[in-house]
Amino acid sequence: MRATGTFTVKAFVPTELKPEPAVSTGLPVGVATMEKHFEGEVAGRSATLFTAAFDQTTGVGTYVAMESFEGSLCGQAGAFNFVHSATTFGSDRTAEFFTIVPTSGTGELTGISGAGGMAVEADGTHRIWFDYTWEVGR
């Protein structure tokens, strides 16, 4: 099954958390928390731990995010975790990774598994989709 939607970032809060021991690289690692709101077949909100090595000036870098989503996919309510990452050289997304964390589903989303993706359109619209199935025994 596929569920699609759009999302907006409601909060992006950098933290003071730094990797230990400190290692000096060309792009320092930063950590932030995020809150997103979703509309469409994907409806609800998420809390995100966001880690990145990113240059704001050039737009080059990589991020890794772990999200805890609560809401619904195609009308089925519950919660689950998903993880995603990507690399950019300024105007592209490469090395993308996106997966639903196994056994993390609750409510009507218990047993969910699968993958998905994200895209940002030229007008700034953020899109998300989940391609999901149910684990055996659901």
Side-chain angles (χ1 to χ4, degrees):
M1 297 180 62
R2 177 172 271 206
T4 63
T6 60
F7 68 90
T8 55
V9 175
K10 294 297 182 178
F12 183 91
V13 181
T15 71
E16 296 298 319
L17 182 63
K18 301 292 180 197
E20 289 292 332
V23 175
S24 180
T25 65
L27 288 176
V29 173
V31 178
T33 60
M34 298 174 72
E35 179 184 353
K36 295 178 184 172
H37 290 193
F38 300 83
E39 295 180 345
E41 294 171 334
V42 179
R45 67 186 180 124
S46 71
T48 307
L49 292 173
F50 184 86
T51 304
F54 188 77
D55 184 331
Q56 295 285 344
T57 305
T58 63
V60 174
T62 299
Y63 80 90
V64 177
M66 175 64 73
E67 299 204 33
S68 298
F69 171 84
E70 68 178 355
S72 64
L73 298 184
C74 297
Q76 295 185 292
F80 61 91
N81 301 110
F82 64 101
V83 62
H84 53 97
S85 65
T87 295
T88 181
F89 287 93
S91 61
D92 63 341
R93 285 175 58 92
T94 63
E96 293 181 86
F97 176 81
F98 192 115
T99 194
I100 296 170
V101 177
T103 72
S104 68
T106 67
E108 294 176 315
L109 299 174
T110 298
I112 192 169
S113 64
M118 295 182 175
V120 181
E121 295 181 358
D123 68 359
T125 301
H126 287 69
R127 299 209 174 272
I128 190 167
W129 60 91
F130 291 96
D131 293 321
Y132 61 99
T133 59
W134 306 110
E135 296 168 5
V136 176
R138 178 174 190 258

